[in-house]
Amino acid sequence: LAKTTQPISMDSYEGQEVNITCSHNNIATNDYITWYQQFPSQGPRFIIQGYKTKVTNEVASLFIPADRKSSTLSLPRVSLSDTAVYYCLVGARLSGYSTLTFGKGTMLLVSP
Amino acid sequence: SQTIHQWPATLVQPVGSPLSLECTVEGTSNPNLYWYRQAAGRGLQLLFYSVGIGQISSEVPQNLSASRPQDRQFILSSKKLLLSDSGFYLCAWATATDPSSIQYFGAGTRLSVL
């Protein structure tokens, strides 16, 4: 399984763009890159997923360089409610089940 | 649409007592099901996963067990709880045929063993 490395914490202010980078040097050909958001005492919530290049949805953008050894989650114009832990995961379905390993994530604190 | 339900939301149990946490999924068939535990301030640890009825795989040896008596029901159990079993337990599901492995989580159960 590909291991991921992301910053333990980040600080930002309301209205700013936040970029969280995740390193996954040993990503496999079949692996997807998935980001989750978790608020205290809640289950993680799927944010965005990509395989290569750029993916954008109503919540965030995901930038993946050609070598796929890293990825950057971009949150445009964050608000106080974006304060949460963000997890970067790399994995794929193997032999009938999906295997994902959650690290400690990045604690994003958005201040007024 | 698919939904996942976990209960109870919180639970306080004495050491040595049994445990049963239940998770059900609606709106999908033959999902992959997962149990995770999250200790305070830490990442998620995969405990069990299941690809079908009666099929359970364990990721770590522990005081817990899991069962899948029905296609969309996943149960986490213990015969005798330990203090170290305290934590936030999360159930998740994924589409079995989805190669991208997106998992969808329940609201979780906060377990305190005293």
Side-chain angles (χ1 to χ4, degrees):
Chain A
L1 298 177
K3 180 180 178 180
T4 61
T5 302
Q6 54 185 123
I8 295 175
S9 64
M10 294 183 68
D11 295 323
S12 183
Y13 294 96
E14 283 189 293
Q16 290 189 333
E17 178 184 74
V18 172
N19 296 307
I20 306 174
T21 298
C22 179
S23 298
H24 28 80
N25 291 319
N26 58 339
I27 188 170
T29 302
N30 294 330
D31 287 343
Y32 286 78
I33 301 161
T34 310
W35 286 80
Y36 289 82
Q37 175 193 58
Q38 186 180 27
F39 298 112
S41 297
Q42 294 186 27
R45 182 177 73 101
F46 168 78
I47 300 176
I48 196 167
Q49 183 183 72
Y51 183 80
K52 61 180 179 180
T53 63
K54 176 184 175 182
V55 179
T56 298
N57 62 21
E58 64 278 5
V59 177
S61 294
L62 179 59
F63 299 91
I64 305 170
D67 65 6
R68 302 202 326 125
K69 294 184 182 299
S70 67
S71 60
T72 299
L73 174 72
S74 181
L75 304 172
R77 299 179 297 281
V78 294
S79 63
L80 296 177
S81 62
D82 291 317
T83 293
V85 178
Y86 292 82
Y87 296 96
C88 165
L89 290 92
V90 175
R93 183 175 65 88
L94 301 171
S95 303
Y97 59 88
S98 57
T99 56
L100 298 176
T101 302
F102 283 79
K104 295 185 178 181
T106 298
M107 175 65 219
L108 172 64
L109 176 61
V110 180
S111 301
Chain B
S1 63
Q2 300 87 359
T3 56
I4 180 169
H5 304 279
Q6 259 188 268
W7 65 91
T10 59
L11 190 60
V12 180
Q13 292 284 96
V15 170
S17 64
L19 172 73
S20 181
L21 301 181
E22 189 164 343
C23 171
T24 59
V25 180
E26 297 177 356
T28 187
S29 297
N30 194 32
N32 290 340
L33 297 173
Y34 308 83
W35 277 111
Y36 290 86
R37 177 170 59 198
Q38 186 173 36
R42 311 188 75 170
L44 278 72
Q45 178 188 35
L46 177 62
L47 302 175
F48 301 95
Y49 61 88
S50 172
V51 299
I53 296 175
Q55 301 179 62
I56 309 296
S57 296
S58 174
E59 285 292 295
V60 292
Q62 58 221 327
N63 185 42
L64 303 169
S65 61
S67 62
R68 185 170 176 173
Q70 301 180 42
D71 181 45
R72 289 167 289 178
Q73 182 185 32
F74 206 22
I75 299 172
L76 182 69
S77 304
S78 174
K79 293 182 179 179
K80 289 186 177 181
L81 284 169
L82 306 172
L83 289 174
S84 57
D85 291 325
S86 294
F88 191 46
Y89 288 83
L90 289 155
C91 180
W93 74 273
T95 301
T97 56
D98 180 7
S100 64
S101 304
I102 296 174
Q103 295 187 15
Y104 301 93
F105 288 80
T109 296
R110 177 77 58 190
L111 172 65
S112 298
V113 182
L114 306 177

